[in-house]
Tab-separated table of all heavy atoms in Angstrom:
chain	number	residue	atom	x	y	z
N	1117	SER	N	-5.542	40.417	115.857
N	1117	SER	CA	-5.016	41.608	115.166
N	1117	SER	C	-5.916	42.017	114.026
N	1117	SER	O	-6.167	43.211	113.792
N	1117	SER	CB	-3.609	41.316	114.637
N	1117	SER	OG	-2.708	41.014	115.694
N	1118	VAL	N	-6.427	41.027	113.292
N	1118	VAL	CA	-7.340	41.319	112.196
N	1118	VAL	C	-8.605	42.000	112.712
N	1118	VAL	O	-9.094	42.977	112.131
N	1118	VAL	CB	-7.676	40.018	111.425
N	1118	VAL	CG1	-8.867	40.243	110.503
N	1118	VAL	CG2	-6.485	39.532	110.631
N	1119	ILE	N	-9.118	41.488	113.816
N	1119	ILE	CA	-10.328	42.092	114.394
N	1119	ILE	C	-10.036	43.510	114.880
N	1119	ILE	O	-10.859	44.413	114.753
N	1119	ILE	CB	-10.867	41.211	115.525
N	1119	ILE	CG1	-11.527	39.964	114.942
N	1119	ILE	CG2	-11.856	41.956	116.391
N	1119	ILE	CD1	-12.695	40.259	114.034
N	1120	MET	N	-8.851	43.701	115.464
N	1120	MET	CA	-8.508	45.029	115.987
N	1120	MET	C	-8.453	46.067	114.878
N	1120	MET	O	-8.909	47.192	115.038
N	1120	MET	CB	-7.184	44.947	116.733
N	1120	MET	CG	-6.757	46.270	117.368
N	1120	MET	SD	-5.270	46.108	118.357
N	1120	MET	CE	-4.056	45.653	117.106
N	1121	PHE	N	-7.860	45.684	113.722
N	1121	PHE	CA	-7.686	46.643	112.632
N	1121	PHE	C	-8.895	46.717	111.705
N	1121	PHE	O	-9.181	47.783	111.155
N	1121	PHE	CB	-6.440	46.289	111.817
N	1121	PHE	CG	-5.158	46.576	112.532
N	1121	PHE	CD1	-4.399	45.557	113.069
N	1121	PHE	CD2	-4.701	47.875	112.674
N	1121	PHE	CE1	-3.214	45.804	113.739
N	1121	PHE	CE2	-3.518	48.152	113.333
N	1121	PHE	CZ	-2.765	47.117	113.878
N	1122	TYR	N	-9.578	45.599	111.529
N	1122	TYR	CA	-10.657	45.573	110.541
N	1122	TYR	C	-11.998	45.161	111.131
N	1122	TYR	O	-12.939	44.876	110.383
N	1122	TYR	CB	-10.294	44.606	109.389
N	1122	TYR	CG	-9.023	45.006	108.669
N	1122	TYR	CD1	-7.863	44.261	108.821
N	1122	TYR	CD2	-8.992	46.133	107.857
N	1122	TYR	CE1	-6.685	44.634	108.183
N	1122	TYR	CE2	-7.838	46.508	107.199
N	1122	TYR	CZ	-6.674	45.755	107.366
N	1122	TYR	OH	-5.535	46.123	106.733
N	1123	GLY	N	-12.091	45.111	112.448
N	1123	GLY	CA	-13.345	44.711	113.074
N	1123	GLY	C	-14.497	45.647	112.745
N	1123	GLY	O	-15.649	45.213	112.691
N	1124	GLY	N	-14.205	46.917	112.514
N	1124	GLY	CA	-15.262	47.870	112.181
N	1124	GLY	C	-15.958	47.565	110.875
N	1124	GLY	O	-17.072	48.061	110.618
N	1125	MET	N	-15.323	46.750	110.045
N	1125	MET	CA	-15.922	46.405	108.742
N	1125	MET	C	-17.180	45.579	108.889
N	1125	MET	O	-17.982	45.479	107.953
N	1125	MET	CB	-14.901	45.643	107.889
N	1125	MET	CG	-13.683	46.447	107.495
N	1125	MET	SD	-12.384	45.424	106.746
N	1125	MET	CE	-13.274	44.591	105.438
N	1126	ILE	N	-17.355	44.943	110.050
N	1126	ILE	CA	-18.489	44.048	110.226
N	1126	ILE	C	-19.817	44.784	110.054
N	1126	ILE	O	-20.814	44.193	109.636
N	1126	ILE	CB	-18.426	43.375	111.626
N	1126	ILE	CG1	-19.451	42.237	111.729
N	1126	ILE	CG2	-18.655	44.400	112.732
N	1126	ILE	CD1	-19.200	41.110	110.801
N	1127	TRP	N	-19.833	46.092	110.344
N	1127	TRP	CA	-21.079	46.848	110.239
N	1127	TRP	C	-21.548	46.956	108.798
N	1127	TRP	O	-22.746	47.127	108.536
N	1127	TRP	CB	-20.910	48.234	110.845
N	1127	TRP	CG	-20.612	48.200	112.307
N	1127	TRP	CD1	-19.427	48.527	112.921
N	1127	TRP	CD2	-21.495	47.802	113.363
N	1127	TRP	NE1	-19.520	48.349	114.281
N	1127	TRP	CE2	-20.787	47.899	114.586
N	1127	TRP	CE3	-22.834	47.367	113.388
N	1127	TRP	CZ2	-21.366	47.588	115.801
N	1127	TRP	CZ3	-23.406	47.057	114.613
N	1127	TRP	CH2	-22.664	47.168	115.788
N	1128	TYR	N	-20.626	46.833	107.855
N	1128	TYR	CA	-20.979	47.039	106.447
N	1128	TYR	C	-21.471	45.758	105.774
N	1128	TYR	O	-21.568	45.710	104.537
N	1128	TYR	CB	-19.789	47.624	105.701
N	1128	TYR	CG	-19.413	48.990	106.211
N	1128	TYR	CD1	-18.362	49.154	107.099
N	1128	TYR	CD2	-20.160	50.109	105.848
N	1128	TYR	CE1	-18.020	50.400	107.588
N	1128	TYR	CE2	-19.834	51.372	106.347
N	1128	TYR	CZ	-18.760	51.500	107.222
N	1128	TYR	OH	-18.448	52.750	107.722
N	1129	VAL	N	-21.751	44.723	106.560
N	1129	VAL	CA	-22.421	43.555	106.006
N	1129	VAL	C	-23.932	43.643	106.233
N	1129	VAL	O	-24.677	42.752	105.820
N	1129	VAL	CB	-21.885	42.238	106.623
N	1129	VAL	CG1	-20.386	42.133	106.451
N	1129	VAL	CG2	-22.280	42.118	108.094
N	1130	PHE	N	-24.377	44.737	106.889
N	1130	PHE	CA	-25.790	44.910	107.170
N	1130	PHE	C	-26.397	45.956	106.226
N	1130	PHE	O	-25.719	46.930	105.857
N	1130	PHE	CB	-26.002	45.364	108.614
N	1130	PHE	CG	-25.491	44.375	109.631
N	1130	PHE	CD1	-24.334	44.626	110.344
N	1130	PHE	CD2	-26.173	43.188	109.851
N	1130	PHE	CE1	-23.855	43.714	111.286
N	1130	PHE	CE2	-25.719	42.272	110.784
N	1130	PHE	CZ	-24.552	42.534	111.493
N	1131	PRO	N	-27.643	45.758	105.831
N	1131	PRO	CA	-28.280	46.742	104.950
N	1131	PRO	C	-28.560	48.052	105.670
N	1131	PRO	O	-28.579	48.116	106.894
N	1131	PRO	CB	-29.588	46.043	104.541
N	1131	PRO	CG	-29.847	45.054	105.645
N	1131	PRO	CD	-28.490	44.604	106.127
N	1132	GLU	N	-28.740	49.087	104.882
N	1132	GLU	CA	-29.126	50.407	105.355
N	1132	GLU	C	-28.028	51.137	106.109
N	1132	GLU	O	-28.244	52.279	106.537
N	1132	GLU	CB	-30.393	50.344	106.242
N	1132	GLU	CG	-31.589	49.646	105.602
N	1132	GLU	CD	-32.027	50.298	104.308
N	1132	GLU	OE1	-31.825	51.523	104.151
N	1132	GLU	OE2	-32.543	49.591	103.428
N	1133	VAL	N	-26.875	50.510	106.309
N	1133	VAL	CA	-25.774	51.241	106.963
N	1133	VAL	C	-25.218	52.285	106.000
N	1133	VAL	O	-24.965	53.434	106.374
N	1133	VAL	CB	-24.671	50.265	107.402
N	1133	VAL	CG1	-23.454	51.044	107.929
N	1133	VAL	CG2	-25.203	49.328	108.466
N	1134	ASP	N	-25.012	51.877	104.752
N	1134	ASP	CA	-24.538	52.784	103.713
N	1134	ASP	C	-25.061	52.255	102.387
N	1134	ASP	O	-24.553	51.264	101.864
N	1134	ASP	CB	-23.021	52.865	103.707
N	1134	ASP	CG	-22.492	53.939	102.759
N	1134	ASP	OD1	-23.288	54.438	101.937
N	1134	ASP	OD2	-21.289	54.256	102.832
N	1135	ASN	N	-26.067	52.898	101.836
N	1135	ASN	CA	-26.708	52.414	100.605
N	1135	ASN	C	-25.824	52.605	99.381
N	1135	ASN	O	-26.150	52.065	98.303
N	1135	ASN	CB	-28.042	53.144	100.391
N	1135	ASN	CG	-29.088	52.718	101.398
N	1135	ASN	OD1	-29.130	51.559	101.819
N	1135	ASN	ND2	-29.930	53.655	101.809
N	1136	SER	N	-24.723	53.325	99.518
N	1136	SER	CA	-23.851	53.543	98.362
N	1136	SER	C	-22.858	52.404	98.163
N	1136	SER	O	-22.117	52.385	97.183
N	1136	SER	CB	-23.082	54.869	98.530
N	1136	SER	OG	-22.188	54.792	99.654
N	1137	ILE	N	-22.808	51.453	99.104
N	1137	ILE	CA	-21.874	50.343	98.999
N	1137	ILE	C	-22.649	49.029	98.813
N	1137	ILE	O	-23.862	48.986	99.065
N	1137	ILE	CB	-20.982	50.209	100.245
N	1137	ILE	CG1	-21.835	49.899	101.482
N	1137	ILE	CG2	-20.145	51.466	100.459
N	1137	ILE	CD1	-21.061	49.616	102.729
N	1138	SER	N	-21.959	48.004	98.362
N	1138	SER	CA	-22.578	46.706	98.155
N	1138	SER	C	-22.452	45.887	99.446
N	1138	SER	O	-21.532	45.091	99.606
N	1138	SER	CB	-21.925	45.963	96.986
N	1138	SER	OG	-22.450	44.658	96.851
N	1139	TRP	N	-23.389	46.096	100.352
N	1139	TRP	CA	-23.347	45.309	101.580
N	1139	TRP	C	-23.577	43.836	101.286
N	1139	TRP	O	-23.107	42.962	102.020
N	1139	TRP	CB	-24.393	45.817	102.577
N	1139	TRP	CG	-25.818	45.633	102.133
N	1139	TRP	CD1	-26.608	46.542	101.493
N	1139	TRP	CD2	-26.631	44.465	102.320
N	1139	TRP	NE1	-27.856	46.023	101.262
N	1139	TRP	CE2	-27.899	44.757	101.753
N	1139	TRP	CE3	-26.427	43.223	102.893
N	1139	TRP	CZ2	-28.940	43.836	101.749
N	1139	TRP	CZ3	-27.456	42.300	102.890
N	1139	TRP	CH2	-28.689	42.600	102.322
N	1140	GLU	N	-24.281	43.547	100.182
N	1140	GLU	CA	-24.500	42.166	99.789
N	1140	GLU	C	-23.182	41.466	99.454
N	1140	GLU	O	-22.947	40.307	99.806
N	1140	GLU	CB	-25.442	42.078	98.589
N	1140	GLU	CG	-26.815	42.672	98.838
N	1140	GLU	CD	-26.917	44.116	98.380
N	1140	GLU	OE1	-25.880	44.815	98.401
N	1140	GLU	OE2	-28.011	44.547	97.990
N	1141	GLY	N	-22.299	42.185	98.739
N	1141	GLY	CA	-20.990	41.633	98.433
N	1141	GLY	C	-20.144	41.412	99.682
N	1141	GLY	O	-19.409	40.420	99.775
N	1142	HIS	N	-20.261	42.340	100.626
N	1142	HIS	CA	-19.532	42.191	101.880
N	1142	HIS	C	-20.048	40.976	102.673
N	1142	HIS	O	-19.258	40.183	103.202
N	1142	HIS	CB	-19.702	43.448	102.736
N	1142	HIS	CG	-19.142	44.676	102.083
N	1142	HIS	ND1	-19.391	45.946	102.565
N	1142	HIS	CD2	-18.355	44.834	100.978
N	1142	HIS	CE1	-18.783	46.830	101.802
N	1142	HIS	NE2	-18.158	46.176	100.837
N	1143	LEU	N	-21.354	40.849	102.740
N	1143	LEU	CA	-21.940	39.718	103.470
N	1143	LEU	C	-21.570	38.409	102.784
N	1143	LEU	O	-21.230	37.412	103.457
N	1143	LEU	CB	-23.465	39.859	103.520
N	1143	LEU	CG	-24.230	38.727	104.193
N	1143	LEU	CD1	-23.810	38.569	105.647
N	1143	LEU	CD2	-25.752	38.971	104.083
N	1144	ALA	N	-21.618	38.382	101.457
N	1144	ALA	CA	-21.255	37.179	100.713
N	1144	ALA	C	-19.804	36.792	100.968
N	1144	ALA	O	-19.464	35.614	101.152
N	1144	ALA	CB	-21.492	37.388	99.218
N	1145	GLY	N	-18.920	37.776	100.999
N	1145	GLY	CA	-17.517	37.512	101.264
N	1145	GLY	C	-17.290	37.000	102.672
N	1145	GLY	O	-16.490	36.074	102.892
N	1146	PHE	N	-17.994	37.568	103.632
N	1146	PHE	CA	-17.847	37.154	105.025
N	1146	PHE	C	-18.309	35.715	105.217
N	1146	PHE	O	-17.654	34.919	105.888
N	1146	PHE	CB	-18.648	38.096	105.931
N	1146	PHE	CG	-18.364	37.904	107.390
N	1146	PHE	CD1	-17.263	38.485	107.992
N	1146	PHE	CD2	-19.222	37.148	108.180
N	1146	PHE	CE1	-17.011	38.321	109.348
N	1146	PHE	CE2	-18.980	36.969	109.517
N	1146	PHE	CZ	-17.871	37.550	110.113
Side-chain angles (χ1 to χ4, degrees):
S1117 298
V1118 167
I1119 286 299
M1120 182 174 64
F1121 288 105
Y1122 300 109
M1125 295 170 53
I1126 191 64
W1127 297 110
Y1128 296 100
V1129 304
F1130 299 107
E1132 306 301 331
V1133 174
D1134 187 347
N1135 290 325
S1136 65
I1137 63 174
S1138 176
W1139 65 266
E1140 300 95 330
H1142 298 169
L1143 178 61
F1146 190 82

